[in-house]
Every structure is written in structure tokens, then in C-alpha cells.
């Protein structure tokens, strides 16, 4: 398949080592400003993916992200933030990275080249046709991710992807591709920059909208968030006070801690 490897295109900037700190920062920021617009153009694709994933999850399925390097780390971050933010159980949204947990903090040589390993890693979670898998690969050519998606699709599992190279092989391996071309990177080929930022924005959109559709947001509040620190207890207490006018701060806090979430505290009082 022939496609343009935009992520490998030469940077618009030259002799970076000779530039001032101010110019480097200014030019990086200028490049970053193009990313939200690229994501905006991909909203129709993102919408189709989110609708399909949320329907599966409403029927009892799980969501898996799978990637290598920066892409894999971004998936792990998004998945790990769902339980504390939305109160869902660990394991409902899962991030898988080539090379395993070690690869979250260290580069694991050639992990992304092990084509058969991605599907094996998914199988350790007893993945089934109720679930969804989103592959994340800036280049769209990562064997670990592509083969995992192909196997998942062959087994009746809903598949999607996020890539920065339209028409890349990964788009042919899934049901719902999301293509976000952001142009050449500031440092040529360094896809942890604009490409990574684009993937993070798309992941934010996917997980947040899915959780809203699952009923995990009320109004605009995280009513099921886990009370894992003093800041969140304080935030939750004030949310209870908003919903139950007349309660003192102390009474709202006691009610919140008794029931464990804003939603349960408010429903118990009513």
C-alpha cells in the first residue's frame, strides 16, 4: 500500500541548535497551535468510533487501548484515569503497551516489531466479542498494533485506531479509523510532539464522551469520582452542598464520606 509518511517529513525549521531559547519555544508553540484544528477535522471519524464503542460498553463490553512507545503510554494514561475520574471499576478501560509495564518508563528494544505479541497480550485479558480495541500508532505501521487489530477484528471484536498518517496500513486493519495528520514535527520524526498531542486530545474525547454516555457524569460534574485525596473530598463536599442546599460543609462532608460518592450521598438524602 502506498501512503504518505507525513510523520517522517522534514521539519519546517533548520539549524535548531543555533536558535535562541525564545525562538525554539515560540516556534514549537506555533506548530502546536495546528493540532486542535487537525483534531477538529477528524471529529466525524471520532464520532463514529465513540458511538460504536459506547454501544458495546452499554451492553457490558470493555475498552482496550493498545500501542507501543509514546502511543502505548498515552493509552495507559487515559485508561488509568478512568476509574478515579468516573468511578468505573479497574479493568473496564485497559491500556496495553508493547513490552509490558517496563515499557511505561523505559524503551524496550524491538517490542513494537513483535507482530504476534499484541494479540497474545490482549488474550491475557480474556478479550471477547463484547469488547472494543483501539490501536494507537502515529506512523500507522507498528506491527505489534496492526496484527493485534487484525486478530481482534477476525474474532468479532470492534476495532478502531488513531494515526497521524492517513491511509496507513493500520487504517485497513480496523473498523473505525481516526486519521489526524498534523504535518511535520518540529524535530523531524519526533512523534511524541504534535502527533502525541493529537492522540492525547482524541483519547480525552473518546473516554470522556463514552463515560458521559455510560451515565458517569451528571450535569457537568464527576459525581462518581473516587475520593482518593483531600482535594477530591473537598470538591465532592462542595458538590453535595450544591445539590442539597442548606447542608453545612461539615454535614455534607460527613454524608459524602459515609456513602463514598457524590451520587450516592445525594440520592441517600433524597
Amino acid at each position: 500500500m502506498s501512503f504518505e509518511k507525513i510523520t517522517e517529513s522534514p521539519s519546517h525549521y533548520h539549524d535548531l541548535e543555533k536558535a535562541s531559547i525564545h525562538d525554539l519555544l515560540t516556534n514549537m508553540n506555533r506548530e502546536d497551535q495546528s493540532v486542535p484544528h487537525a483534531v477538529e477535522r477528524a471529529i466525524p471519524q471520532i464520532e463514529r468510533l465513540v458511538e460504536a464503542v459506547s454501544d458495546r460498553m452499554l451492553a457490558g463490553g470493555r475498552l482496550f487501548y493498545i500501542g507501543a512507545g509514546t502511543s502505548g503510554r498515552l493509552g495507559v494514561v487515559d485508561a488509568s484515569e478512568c476509574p478515579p475520574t468516573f468511578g468505573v471499576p479497574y479493568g473496564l478501560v485497559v491500556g496495553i503497551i508493547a513490552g509490558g509495564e517496563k515499557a511505561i518508563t523505559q524503551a524496550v528494544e524491538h517490542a513494537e516489531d513483535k507482530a504476534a505479541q499484541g494479540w497474545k497480550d490482549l488474550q491475557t485479558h480474556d478479550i471477547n466479542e463484547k469488547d472494543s480495541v483501539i490501536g494507537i500508532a502515529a506512523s500507522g505501521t507498528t506491527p505489534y498494533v496492526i496484527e493485534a487489530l487484525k486478530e481482534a477484528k477476525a474474532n468479532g471484536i470492534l476495532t478502531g485506531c488513531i494515526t497521524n498518517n492517513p491511509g496507513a496500513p493500520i487504517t485497513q486493519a480496523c473498523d473505525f479509523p481516526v486519521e489526524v495528520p498534523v504535518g511535520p514535527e518540529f524535530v523531524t520524526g519526533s512523534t511524541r510532539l504534535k502527533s502525541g498531542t493529537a492522540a492525547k486530545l482524541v483519547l480525552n474525547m473518546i473516554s470522556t464522551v463514552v463515560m458521559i454516555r455510560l451515565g458517569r457524569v451528571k450535569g457537568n460534574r464527576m459525581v462518581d469520582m473516587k475520593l482518593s485525596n483531600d482535594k477530591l473530598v473537598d470538591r465532592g463536599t462542595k458538590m453535595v452542598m450544591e445539590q442539597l442546599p442548606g447542608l453545612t460543609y461539615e454535614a455534607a462532608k460527613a454524608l459524602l464520606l459515609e456513602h463514598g460518592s457524590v451520587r450516592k450521598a445525594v440520592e441517600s438524602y433524597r
Side-chain angles (χ1 to χ4, degrees), residues 115-263:
Q117 189 61 45
W119 176 240
K120 291 178 181 178
D121 290 346
L122 285 170
Q123 287 181 303
T124 65
H125 296 272
D126 296 320
I127 193 168
N128 61 71
E129 66 277 0
K130 292 182 180 180
D131 300 324
S132 304
V133 181
I134 298 176
I136 312 166
S139 68
T141 60
T142 309
Y144 174 87
V145 179
I146 292 174
E147 291 305 314
L149 289 176
K150 287 181 178 179
E151 289 293 335
K153 186 175 181 181
N155 281 272
I157 298 164
L158 187 145
T159 56
C161 76
I162 303 169
T163 184
N164 304 103
N165 284 333
I170 195 173
T171 65
Q172 305 302 312
C174 68
D175 303 302
F176 296 95
V178 174
E179 300 161 306
V180 192
V182 294
E185 297 289 0
F186 182 70
V187 175
T188 299
S190 182
T191 53
R192 71 183 186 88
L193 300 178
K194 291 191 297 181
S195 298
T197 300
K200 178 65 172 115
L201 291 177
V202 174
L203 289 167
N204 286 348
M205 296 167 82
I206 292 171
S207 58
T208 301
V209 176
V210 166
M211 290 300 152
I212 291 171
R213 290 204 71 198
L214 292 179
R216 292 291 175 163
V217 173
K218 185 174 183 181
N220 58 16
R221 303 293 191 182
M222 300 179 291
V223 293
D224 295 313
M225 66 180 182
K226 293 188 182 298
L227 308 174
S228 55
N229 56 52
D230 291 343
K231 176 188 70 177
L232 295 180
V233 170
D234 177 67
R235 181 188 297 169
T237 299
K238 292 173 181 175
M239 289 165 62
V240 172
M241 293 174 69
E242 288 178 358
Q243 295 295 312
L244 301 175
L247 280 188
T248 65
Y249 182 91
E250 290 73 20
K253 181 177 180 180
L255 188 66
L256 175 66
L257 293 176
E258 177 185 355
H259 294 281
S261 75
V262 173
R263 184 193 300 275

Side-chain angles (χ1 to χ4, degrees), residues 64-139:
F64 291 85
Y65 297 131
I66 188 166
T70 298
S71 296
R73 294 182 192 102
L74 290 170
V76 170
V77 167
D78 197 73
S80 66
E81 290 177 345
C82 287
T85 304
F86 301 106
V88 296
Y90 288 96
L92 184 67
V93 183
V94 180
I96 297 175
I97 182 170
E101 290 189 7
K102 178 183 178 182
I104 296 174
T105 58
Q106 302 177 40
V108 177
E109 297 296 328
H110 299 294
E112 71 172 56
D113 300 320
K114 297 178 179 178
Q117 189 61 45
W119 176 240
K120 291 178 181 178
D121 290 346
L122 285 170
Q123 287 181 303
T124 65
H125 296 272
D126 296 320
I127 193 168
N128 61 71
E129 66 277 0
K130 292 182 180 180
D131 300 324
S132 304
V133 181
I134 298 176
I136 312 166
S139 68

Side-chain angles (χ1 to χ4, degrees), residues 24-35:
L24 290 169
L25 295 175
T26 299
N27 289 329
M28 285 190 73
N29 178 252
R30 181 179 294 116
E31 287 296 309
D32 287 342
Q33 291 174 33
S34 68
V35 177

